[in-house]
Amino acid sequence: MKKILFINTLYSPYIGGGAEIMFQQQVEELQARGYKVCVLTTGKNKNLIIESLNGIKIYRAEIKNFYWHYGDDKSNNKIMKLLWHLRDIYNVQMKKYIQTVINIENPDLTICHNLAGFSVSAWDVIKKNDLKIVQVLHDMYFLCANSTMFQNDHKCEKQCLKCKLLRYIHKKKSQQVDILVGVSHFVINKMNYYNYFNSVNKKVIYNAQDIKYYNNEKIWDGKGVFKIGFIGSLTKSKGIEWLISQFNKLNINATLLIAGKGEIGYEKFLIELSNNNKIKFLGYVKSSDFYKKVDLICIPSICEDNFPGVAYEASANNIPVIASNTGGMAEIISDQVNGILIDPNDENSLGISILKIYNNVDFYKKLASQSRKQVENLLNIDRMLNEYEIIINDL
């Protein structure tokens, strides 16, 4: 029986986003397939503690940095953030936890997902123990301190000087990885462009979820209120301001339902920006419940989303999607097939696309009827796990 040590910044119940959801699913499903697995993650606790969740053994390591970067523990102080990132370049203190777990578990290989908090020092410890490394890319952590290549309200056109300095050693260290898995072609191509993981075998494995067909009866017929939805983090980079501004200009029988949370000050700003009783802020809502309420999903990101789960979740519910043509979005949404791709540099492209769908019910129904079929490959968990198993067995 192969034993796998999984390493990721967060683990349930601490969920930062889709990456943590996919990570937990991968861990639990591989254990169900007969692998012996354990997880090393960070926590607010002292030292190293051992827990169990759904039969998974979890090691939570004390974060040896200025704060734990989850939820309300995050710092808004720019100097403190910089100090955090400086320590996260190569966090020597976190190495002892990785070595301790390796000593206890004696794994056959490691699968690393997000390493923020552990830093790339994790790779050195793993290699010192003659273990193979599978590194899974969910974001651009190895290129950017913020993991998004987005700052000052704009997408970064290139790696900035600050990130070049903060990520100077990462390029050399990246050659230690045995297999690099990207959740999209986009994120692999990004690493190739900046000459990361040059000597490493690379593979794209799309995420997958077993999404039930919640929306099998409700397809908008052009009558009544048209319900437009946004679900996700309420941040500037997700284009929520752009969506609100464009919606406010439309004179249509529609509502805009916004699900998700953000920083308190920014949420207040968004509510003031809305100034429209047709826009409703719902706070945190289960995605399966949210898709029952809406006719159209908008993902107007002005950052480069690597592989947003919202896009294929909506499509799986036969809900058309209007999404930015950046990042890995085009690997999920095919223009004029299960949605419309828009250009964040064209301010009016979002409003025009909403009107195009609203004013043409036949076009809307065509998009809706094609949506689930377009993402069927992303609803097949066995396909995803089989691809990971091939890598595990090869190593």
Side-chain angles (χ1 to χ4, degrees):
M1 180 188 296
K2 295 182 178 70
K3 182 182 285 188
I4 305 172
L5 169 60
F6 286 90
I7 302 177
N8 192 55
T9 303
L10 299 173
Y11 196 76
S12 183
Y14 309 109
I15 303 295
E20 284 72 47
I21 295 170
M22 296 307 306
F23 177 69
Q24 182 178 359
Q25 176 177 267
Q26 184 185 127
V27 169
E28 293 181 355
E29 293 289 345
L30 284 174
Q31 176 153 294
R33 287 189 172 205
Y35 296 91
K36 190 170 183 181
V37 306
C38 60
V39 171
L40 174 59
T41 187
T42 66
K44 198 176 181 180
N45 50 275
K46 296 294 183 182
N47 300 314
L48 185 69
I49 62 174
I50 303 175
E51 300 176 344
S52 179
L53 180 65
N54 297 338
I56 304 297
K57 190 176 184 180
I58 305 162
Y59 292 88
R60 294 196 192 274
E62 176 185 0
I63 185 76
K64 293 294 186 179
N65 211 321
F66 293 94
Y67 53 89
W68 187 39
H69 51 307
Y70 174 78
D72 295 336
D73 292 288
K74 288 183 180 179
S75 175
N76 291 319
N77 184 297
K78 289 185 178 181
I79 295 176
M80 191 63 71
K81 280 186 175 181
L82 178 59
L83 291 173
W84 194 98
H85 288 301
L86 286 170
R87 183 170 288 180
D88 194 54
I89 293 174
Y90 192 90
N91 196 323
V92 176
Q93 291 179 288
M94 296 301 290
K95 294 171 74 172
K96 66 178 182 180
Y97 295 122
I98 301 169
Q99 186 61 62
T100 298
V101 174
I102 288 175
N103 290 343
I104 296 171
E105 295 293 336
N106 190 28
D108 295 301
L109 80 156
T110 60
I111 299 180
C112 301
H113 284 246
N114 290 338
L115 288 179
F118 288 106
S119 82
V120 292
S121 70
W123 291 337
D124 282 349
V125 181
I126 295 166
K127 279 300 170 184
K128 184 181 176 182
N129 288 271
D130 295 322
L131 293 172
K132 300 290 188 181
I133 303 172
V134 179
Q135 177 63 57
V136 183
L137 292 179
H138 294 276
D139 57 29
M140 290 177 279
Y141 169 77
F142 300 115
L143 288 173
C144 171
N146 295 326
S147 302
T148 58
M149 294 193 75
F150 183 90
Q151 66 174 347
N152 299 326
D153 298 341
H154 291 93
K155 179 184 75 172
C156 300
E157 297 301 328
K158 61 181 181 179
Q159 192 181 34
C160 67
L161 178 60
K162 181 185 77 172
C163 286
K164 282 182 179 179
L165 295 173
L166 291 171
R167 293 295 180 262
Y168 179 74
I169 70 168
H170 293 60
K171 187 178 295 185
K172 181 178 179 180
K173 295 288 182 185
S174 71
Q175 308 310 319
Q176 299 180 88
V177 170
D178 294 282
I179 299 286
L180 181 69
V181 175
V183 299
S184 66
H185 287 280
F186 162 77
V187 73
I188 291 287
N189 292 338
K190 201 77 169 180
M191 294 299 158
N192 288 339
Y193 180 81
Y194 286 97
N195 297 312
Y196 281 68
F197 305 96
N198 276 348
S199 61
V200 177
N201 290 327
K202 303 176 182 70
K203 183 174 179 58
V204 173
I205 301 180
Y206 288 138
N207 291 335
Q209 292 187 60
D210 180 16
I211 301 172
K212 305 303 180 186
Y213 191 6
Y214 303 113
N215 200 31
N216 56 350
E217 294 180 357
K218 185 177 71 64
I219 293 181
W220 187 62
D221 59 2
K223 300 174 183 178
V225 178
F226 187 53
K227 299 179 180 65
I228 303 167
F230 172 96
I231 182 168
S233 300
L234 304 188
T235 62
K236 179 84 173 182
S237 64
K238 297 299 183 182
I240 185 65
E241 291 179 38
W242 181 25
L243 176 58
I244 290 171
S245 298
Q246 288 285 293
F247 181 82
N248 280 334
K249 294 179 181 180
L250 301 178
N251 184 23
I252 58 177
N253 184 20
T255 58
L256 174 58
L257 304 178
I258 299 173
K261 299 292 290 181
E263 293 182 358
I264 294 174
Y266 189 63
E267 282 192 36
K268 183 178 179 182
F269 165 76
L270 292 176
I271 292 171
E272 292 173 352
L273 178 67
S274 301
N275 192 28
N276 187 335
N277 59 14
K278 291 184 176 181
I279 301 177
K280 303 182 188 304
F281 289 82
L282 307 181
Y284 175 78
V285 178
K286 283 181 63 177
S287 59
S288 56
D289 292 334
F290 187 71
Y291 296 130
K292 297 175 184 178
K293 301 176 186 290
V294 298
D295 305 304
L296 173 72
I297 287 288
C298 288
I299 313 175
S301 300
I302 53 179
C303 67
E304 293 181 312
D305 276 330
N306 292 312
F307 202 75
V310 174
Y312 60 83
E313 288 173 4
S315 292
N317 282 278
N318 274 356
I319 301 173
V321 175
I322 296 176
S324 298
N325 59 1
T326 58
M329 200 77 74
E331 297 176 52
I332 307 171
I333 303 302
S334 295
D335 192 42
Q336 311 297 312
V337 178
N338 58 334
I340 299 177
L341 292 175
I342 56 176
D343 184 358
N345 295 315
D346 181 354
E347 181 183 353
N348 293 320
S349 62
L350 176 52
I352 290 171
S353 296
I354 292 173
L355 286 176
K356 181 176 180 178
I357 290 175
Y358 177 81
N359 289 325
N360 190 335
V361 177
D362 289 339
F363 179 56
Y364 173 85
K365 289 182 177 180
K366 177 185 174 184
L367 295 179
S369 65
Q370 296 172 157
S371 289
R372 187 173 176 93
K373 184 177 181 180
Q374 188 66 23
V375 297
E376 278 181 346
N377 188 46
L378 306 180
L379 310 180
N380 187 341
I381 293 178
D382 285 333
R383 182 272 308 162
M384 177 184 72
L385 294 172
N386 290 343
E387 292 181 45
Y388 274 105
E389 277 202 273
I390 290 172
I391 290 174
I392 292 167
N393 291 327
D394 284 348
L395 289 179

